[in-house]
Amino acid sequence: MSARIFINYAREDAPHADSIYDFLKIHAHEPWMDRRDILPGEEFEYAIAAALKESDFFLSILSPRSVSKRGYLRKEMKLAAEAALRLLPGDLYFLPLVVEECEGPPELARFQRLELSDPQWTDRLLAAIDRGLKLRQGEA
């Protein structure tokens, strides 16, 4: 099963975002991030809103840089919170991935975080995606 995964990140964390994007692609998922998927000339706010609406998951890369940001990064989190309203309680949607220790943003405080320092973070991420897809299809 393939999942559409919106990647939310601070510009300073772009190397992490790129490697996670590539990892997800290799594992037959459809990651989405602005730098790779918005074409020149596209209206970025529209493209981001459309991608959020179509995404199965919202993966937020957390670091001291991202949690202290204002602006569009936070707006994406708020739009994702609105998108999550269409899901049932217990569905997996938010995937907070901590790449450097930090306090998480309030929008994601109630969700279990995944730590990049966990040697099994890749397995745990793929398991969460798989379970989330199964929950939506009534299989879990």
Side-chain angles (χ1 to χ4, degrees):
M1 260 183 293
S2 178
R4 295 167 304 220
I5 304 161
F6 186 99
I7 300 175
N8 168 262
Y9 65 101
R11 290 277 177 238
E12 299 85 352
D13 295 324
H16 288 295
D18 286 331
S19 64
I20 291 163
Y21 184 103
D22 294 339
F23 169 80
L24 292 168
K25 273 272 206 209
I26 288 168
H27 287 86
H29 293 296
E30 300 170 40
W32 190 96
M33 62 189 278
D34 57 355
R35 291 183 323 110
R36 293 203 185 180
D37 294 297
I38 298 177
L39 297 173
E42 279 191 281
E43 183 182 334
F44 69 88
E45 286 193 30
Y46 174 80
I48 288 170
L52 277 166
K53 185 177 180 184
E54 296 168 6
S55 292
D56 298 307
F57 298 94
F58 182 83
L59 190 151
S60 190
I61 296 175
L62 303 177
S63 71
R65 294 162 298 283
S66 68
V67 298
S68 65
K69 286 271 185 180
R70 292 179 176 81
Y72 220 82
L73 182 106
R74 283 284 203 247
K75 185 174 182 178
E76 288 175 355
M77 287 182 188
K78 290 182 191 314
L79 290 170
E82 290 172 15
L85 294 175
R86 71 181 186 273
L87 302 173
L88 295 173
D91 279 351
L92 294 175
Y93 176 70
F94 288 103
L95 302 171
L97 177 59
V98 179
V99 298
E100 193 175 324
E101 191 52 44
C102 61
E103 286 293 320
E107 297 90 343
L108 302 178
R110 68 180 195 260
F111 301 104
Q112 179 66 32
R113 298 164 25 147
L114 178 59
E115 307 277 340
L116 194 66
S117 61
D118 179 344
Q120 301 200 338
W121 77 269
T122 55
D123 293 337
R124 292 177 50 78
L125 177 60
L126 293 174
I129 292 167
D130 185 52
R131 183 164 178 220
L133 290 172
K134 286 179 179 175
L135 282 167
R136 286 196 196 95
Q137 294 177 350
E139 298 175 17

